[in-house]
Amino acid sequence: MLTTFESTVRQIMAPQQRVYDMLSNLENIEKVRDRLPADKIESLSFDRDSVSISVPPVGAVTMKVVDREEPKTIKFEAANSPVPFNLWIQLVPVTDDSCKMKLTIKAELNIFIKGMVQKPLQEGLERMADVLQNIPY
C-alpha cells in the first residue's frame, strides 16, 4: 500500500533559485554536515546525484536524484533501502528573497510495517525539513 508523508510547509529566507541550486547538487551536503545529528547517523557519503546514509536501527539507505525540475522540484528514489520509497523536495517562490519548501515521502508499506515506521518516519521528515530550512543559503 502506498503511504504518503508530508512535512509542514517551511519558509526559507532565500530566493527559490538559490535554494534549488544548493539542494539539487548533493555535494553541497558537505556544507551542512556539522548540522546533522551525529548521534543519529553512523555514516554519510555522497556525490552530486546520490547520498548514502546509515541510520540505526534502519541501516544503510541510498537515495539517487531521478528528476530535477528547475527551480521547483527535486525528486529522489531509494536505490538501497529496506523499504521502497520516493522523496520530493518542492520549492515555491513567495517573494524575490524567500520561498516555501515542503518535503514529501511516498513509501510502499504493508499495514504491519506502516504501524512500526509511521511515527519515526514523520519525525525524521520534520527533522530533515528543520535542517534544510536553516541552511545558510
Side-chain angles (χ1 to χ4, degrees):
M1 176 167 62
L2 200 59
T3 304
T4 300
F5 300 90
E6 295 181 335
S7 73
T8 53
V9 174
R10 306 301 182 93
Q11 181 91 12
I12 297 177
M13 298 313 293
Q16 178 189 24
Q17 185 68 52
R18 191 178 327 150
V19 175
Y20 175 87
D21 291 345
M22 173 81 163
L23 298 180
S24 65
N25 180 349
L26 298 180
E27 289 172 337
N28 290 323
I29 291 173
E30 189 61 47
K31 297 176 187 171
V32 297
R33 186 188 284 261
D34 62 325
R35 294 175 180 260
L36 303 175
D39 60 321
K40 305 270 191 239
I41 298 171
E42 288 180 349
S43 68
L44 174 69
S45 61
F46 47 87
D47 59 30
R48 185 179 190 292
D49 296 316
S50 68
V51 59
S52 295
I53 190 166
S54 184
V55 182
V58 176
V61 174
T62 300
M63 294 185 299
K64 294 190 180 300
V65 175
V66 293
D67 189 28
R68 291 177 176 94
E69 191 178 336
E70 187 171 351
K72 55 187 179 179
T73 311
I74 306 158
K75 295 180 182 177
F76 299 83
E77 187 175 276
N80 173 37
S81 168
V83 174
F85 71 92
N86 291 338
L87 167 72
W88 288 262
I89 300 174
Q90 296 166 285
L91 302 169
V92 177
V94 175
T95 68
D96 288 346
D97 297 320
S98 68
C99 63
K100 289 187 178 178
M101 174 192 71
K102 182 171 80 170
L103 307 180
T104 304
I105 289 179
K106 291 192 179 185
E108 195 65 47
L109 303 175
N110 68 39
I111 196 77
F112 176 70
I113 298 290
K114 182 179 176 181
M116 292 186 343
V117 302
Q118 188 164 0
K119 186 176 180 199
L121 199 53
Q122 186 67 48
E123 289 172 355
L125 193 60
E126 290 297 338
R127 275 197 299 275
M128 180 190 279
D130 287 343
V131 169
L132 296 180
Q133 180 181 22
N134 292 304
I135 291 173
Y137 294 97

